[in-house]
């Protein structure tokens, strides 16, 4: 007997109220123990009653009503009901929708760059705070390189957590028994059929069980399998099955046939396709694509006669299909093709393609003109036929007459109007374009053609065509977007109409932009895009327009000058710099650039610097530029006097450093030492003065004094990385590797995130044949600075085996963004692997990324010396002179040598290339 209570004897669930679904309420009496329970609220009762009614189907669910309301509210606006059921979508509605769309686009575009930058920063911050598992363990995996073989061998084995012992125990519990041979033989013979018949017609011993071979069933099974395979093939090529007949998609099959051309197909495949297409033709003989596919299959199989017969039958079944007639014409020779073309045109007199094909079958121009004229009789409003007729005419007057007639019949054809305007005289061309504008008021191409006409006549200044065009098109609500106008301007530049190009930019570049739309950045991006497409005249016009709006913009003038330097003549760059110094007289760089460009004429350069002094008195850059001008021109005493005046009027550390460097270049070491000592007293925190002092002592072979200068310098300016490097290299050259290592350790403590210090320490260890320590240091450095291209380049080239270079390069390119040192490393490795084209492309990427990196120019020039042409080398040297690089480990070591002080960039380039290993 069970101990479970019956249902009525069980206690009620918590908060149970009898009859709550029927609207009853709970209550308690004084005789009940405990506090009285509060009954359900009125809202709960209503909800329960509504739920019960909905379950019984007495009322509809409230959610359904809400769904219906939402469905009615968000229904298709083209199929509205209710209040707007009888409304008509008029032109005003369309214009209103277009205006609201422009407003939405404007609001979305406003502050778009700031929003994108903020989203990108948020994304990077999220990735930094929530790194992937792979990124978290990357440093630990890299540190495994330092684990020795003994440490690997001492690692304990992991425990078996996979249930291996349990599986072995279960395997031991299993039992296997030997099966008698009679059971195996019986299983083998079950269901087999005998294929031999005795002489008396009875079955032999193999058929004693009464089974016989039914060849009819075997044939039926084979047919069934074949049918299933055919249906499967048809379905795999976009086919479908209907009943017992197989139907395919002939249009899709045409594509497969085109890929079969030139490839040998097996007989079985062709037979299979032939059956499929025959089924398609029989099931639907009015479908032209099936006939075309069947004919092309026969042609592919090498049966052109069968193909012609099939396509002829197809023409009989589908006389109104121009595609099947065209296929028939192509499959036949010229004589038969003409007959077929005549029949095709008779069945389809309105088919332009058939008329054009019939015209191409004629050999002499007279017959072709005759065919085209007949075609125009049947299709007088066919633009394609009129174009063919005009192309057949040899006389300009006849072509003009045809175009005049064509524009009367087809006034909405833009190409015909433009062709007629090109053939007319200038006076008549204006009339033609005026008529065309009346017929096509929303066409901006006509206005551009009119502007080009005025440019050819030399009257573009008297007739502001583009200005009127903008007003007219805006009135017609047919104004194209700003990007489309830029494309039209570039097209005019390509076709030799630079004035029209400039006029288009001038009148349309500011269209649709407000003052709060970052216009300067947008226009600079437009100009850069045009430069990337080699449309320099368009970019020049964009900068000119932008500078009229932003008169004193330094960035715009720098971009305009850079455009003229790279893609213009010297006179154009001089004019751009003259405009820049007038608009921005306080910007020293424009004066310096102009003086440098005019340095070949020292008198004019002196005049420019004098003007610069008037606008920027006591400017150290202008003082130093004047010194360089005099020194390069051979006026040593004048340069020394200017430096003395500059030290008095503009006493800055740069002026003192330039004075020391000037005397050092002239070989006056004692004077240079006096100047550097005075400079250090005035500017004790200028690291270059300490470095110059140490270098002067090194040149004089006074190593103790040089060591003292560097030691004093690093104590005064511990953040100077170049001074730490000079100090370390001095100790290493003297054979004191321990001291050099100690200096670099102190340097890393002072400047922990300087990759140059880490690389120098790694090189010290490598030169001391301590490769293990070098690798350990590299692992630590990459943990702290994983985005340093210098560290990755040092590791790939000098610390790892050649077999690991590709994998390391891939990892480095993922982690390091836009580093010219790493790009040059990639190019050098490809160069070593004899992948010359790819190496050259990576060298060019590095130059595009940073044109001021002299090492990139040197490595690329060395590559071209071995694998480039003379023309390519001259082009590279010219670009190097133009960009005048100043940075790079090897470049600075050569360029800043006092013995190379007056050498030109091409000479420095040769010296750097000779020093590369």
């Amino acid at each position: 007997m069970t101990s479970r209570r019956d249902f009525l004897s069980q206690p009620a669930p918590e908060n149970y109220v009898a009859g709550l679904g029927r609207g009853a309420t709970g209550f308690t009496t004084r005789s009940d123990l405990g506090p009285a329970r509060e009954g359900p609220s009125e809202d709960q009762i209503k909800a329960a009653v509504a739920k019960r009614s909905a379950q019984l189907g007495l009322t509809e669910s409230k959610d359904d009503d809400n769904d219906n309301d939402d469905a009615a509210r968000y229904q298709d606006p083209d199929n509205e009901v209710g209040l707007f059921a009888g409304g008509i979508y008029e032109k005003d509605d369309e214009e209103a929708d277009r205006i609201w769309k422009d407003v939405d686009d404007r609001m979305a575009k406003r502050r778009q760059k700031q929003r994108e930058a903020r989203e990108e920063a948020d994304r990077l911050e999220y990735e930094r705070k929530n790194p992937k598992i792979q990124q978290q363990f990357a440093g630990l995996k890299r540190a495994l390189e330092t684990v020795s073989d003994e440490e690997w061998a001492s690692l304990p084995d992991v425990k078996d957590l996979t249930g291996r012992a349990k599986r072995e125990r279960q395997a031991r519990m299993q039992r296997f028994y030997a099966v008698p041979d009679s059971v195996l033989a019986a299983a083998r013979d079950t269901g087999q059929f005998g294929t031999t018949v005795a002489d008396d017609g009875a079955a032999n011993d193999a058929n004693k069980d009464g089974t016989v071979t039914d060849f009819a069933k075997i044939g039926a099974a084979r047919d069934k399998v074949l049918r299933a395979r055919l249906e499967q093939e048809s379905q795999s090529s976009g086919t479908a099955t209907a009943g017992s007949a197989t139907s395919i998609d002939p249009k899709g099959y045409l594509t497969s046939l085109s890929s079969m051309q030139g490839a040998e197909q097996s007989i079985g495949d062709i037979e299979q396709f032939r059956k499929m297409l025959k089924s398609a033709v029989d099931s639907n003989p009015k479908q032209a694509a099936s006939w075309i596919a069947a004919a092309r299959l026969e042609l592919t199989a090498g049966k052109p006669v069968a193909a012609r017969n099939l396509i002829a039958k197809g023409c009989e079944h589908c006389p109104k299909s121009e595609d099947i007639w065209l296929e028939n014409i192509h499959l036949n020779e010229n004589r038969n093709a003409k007959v077929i073309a005549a029949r095709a045109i008779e069945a389809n007199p309105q088919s332009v393609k058939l008329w054009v094909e019939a015209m191409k079958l004629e050999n002499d121009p007279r017959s072709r003109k005759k065919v085209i004229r007949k075609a125009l009789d049947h299709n007088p409003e066919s633009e394609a036929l009129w174009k063919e007729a005009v192309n057949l005419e040899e006389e300009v007057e006849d072509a003009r007459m045809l175009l005049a007639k064509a524009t009367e019949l087809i006034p909405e054809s833009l190409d015909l109007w433009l062709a007629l305007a090109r053939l007319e005289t200038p006076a008549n061309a204006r009339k033609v374009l005026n008529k065309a504008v009346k017929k096509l008021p929303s066409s901006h191409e006509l206005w551009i053609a009119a502007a080009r006409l005025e440019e050819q006549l030399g009257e573009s200044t008297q007739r502001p065509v583009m200005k009127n065009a903008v007003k007219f098109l805006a009135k017609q609500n047919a104004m194209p977007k700003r990007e489309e106008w830029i494309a039209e301007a570039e097209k005019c530049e390509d076709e030799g109409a630079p004035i029209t190009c400039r006029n288009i930019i001038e009148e349309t570049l500011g269209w649709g932009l407000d003052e709060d739309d970052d216009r300067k950045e947008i226009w600079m991006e437009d100009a850069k895009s045009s430069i990337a497409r080699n449309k320099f005249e368009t970019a020049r016009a964009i900068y000119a327009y932008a500078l009229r709006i932003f008169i004193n913009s330094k960035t715009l003038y720098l971009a305009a000058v850079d455009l003229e330097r790279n893609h213009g003549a010297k006179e154009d760059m001089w004019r751009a710099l003259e405009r820049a110094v007038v608009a921005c007289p306080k910007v020293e760089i424009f004066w310096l650039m102009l003086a440098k460009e005019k340095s070949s004429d020292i008198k004019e350069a002196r005049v420019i610097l004098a003007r610069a002094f008037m606008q920027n008195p006591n400017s150290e850059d202008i003082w130093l530029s004047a010194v360089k001008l005099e020194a390069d021109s051979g006026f040593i005493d004048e340069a020394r006097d200017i430096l003395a005046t500059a030290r008095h009027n503009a006493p800055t550390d740069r002026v003192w450093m330039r004075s020391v460097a000037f005397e050092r270049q002239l070989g006056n070491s004692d004077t240079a030492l006096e100047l550097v000592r005075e400079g250090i007293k005035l500017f004790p925190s200028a690291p270059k003065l300490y470095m110059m002092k140490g270098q002067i002592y090194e040149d004089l072979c006074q190593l103790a004094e040089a060591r003292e200068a560097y030691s004093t310098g690093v104590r005064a300016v511990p953040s100077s990385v170049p001074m730490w490097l000079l100090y370390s290299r001095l100790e290493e050259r003297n054979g004191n590797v321990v001291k050099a290592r100690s200096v670099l350790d102190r340097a890393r403590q002072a400047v922990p995130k300087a990759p140059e210090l880490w690389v120098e320490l790694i090189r010290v260890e490598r030169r001391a044949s301590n490769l293990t320590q070098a690798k350990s240091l590299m692992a630590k450095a990459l943990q702290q600075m994983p985005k340093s291209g210098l560290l990755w380049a040092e590791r790939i080239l000098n610390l790892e085996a050649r077999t690991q270079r590709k994998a390391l390069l891939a990892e480095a390119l993922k982690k390091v963004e836009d580093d010219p040192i790493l790009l040059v490393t990639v190019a050098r490795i490809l160069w070593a692997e004899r992948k010359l084209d790819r190496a050259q492309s990576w060298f060019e990427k590095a130059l595009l990324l940073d044109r001021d990196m002299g090492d990139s120019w040197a490595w690329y020039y060395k590559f071209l010396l071995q694998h480039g042409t003379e023309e390519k080398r001259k082009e590279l040297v010219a670009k190097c002179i133009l960009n005048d690089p100043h940075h790079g480990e090897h470049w600075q070591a050569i360029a800043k040598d006092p013995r190379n002080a007056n050498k030109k960039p091409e000479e420095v380039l040769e010296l750097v290339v000779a020093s590369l290993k």
Side-chain angles (χ1 to χ4, degrees), residues 7 78 88 170 207 277 349 368 372 446 506 521 613 620 634 659 708-709 715 741 747 754 775 796 799 836:
F7 178 78
D78 294 334
I88 300 176
Q170 292 177 352
N207 287 7
L277 289 171
R368 291 190 172 191
I372 284 295
L446 292 172
E506 181 178 355
E521 288 75 12
F613 275 122
E620 68 173 18
S659 301
E708 178 63 25
R715 287 196 301 269
R741 188 183 295 119
K775 290 183 177 181
I796 293 169
L799 295 182
L836 304 181

Side-chain angles (χ1 to χ4, degrees), residues 461-530:
T461 56
Q462 290 81 5
R463 295 175 179 268
V465 177
M466 290 310 304
K467 187 174 183 180
N468 297 333
V470 171
K471 294 180 181 178
F472 183 83
L473 292 172
K475 187 177 180 180
Q476 296 291 328
N477 292 327
M479 188 69 177
K481 295 182 179 180
R482 188 175 54 84
E483 292 79 5
E484 297 178 16
W485 282 116
I486 295 176
E488 292 291 345
E490 293 178 351
K491 184 178 178 182
C492 291
E493 180 183 351
D494 285 338
E495 296 176 357
I499 297 178
T500 304
C501 170
R502 290 195 291 270
N503 291 339
I504 291 174
I505 295 298
E506 181 178 355
E507 299 296 336
T508 62
L509 190 63
W511 179 261
L513 294 178
D514 295 333
E515 294 183 359
D516 57 348
D517 280 338
D518 297 331
R519 292 180 296 172
K520 183 167 68 173
E521 288 75 12
I522 293 174
W523 289 336
M524 290 188 70
E525 289 297 328
D526 293 338
K528 290 178 182 178
S529 300
S530 296

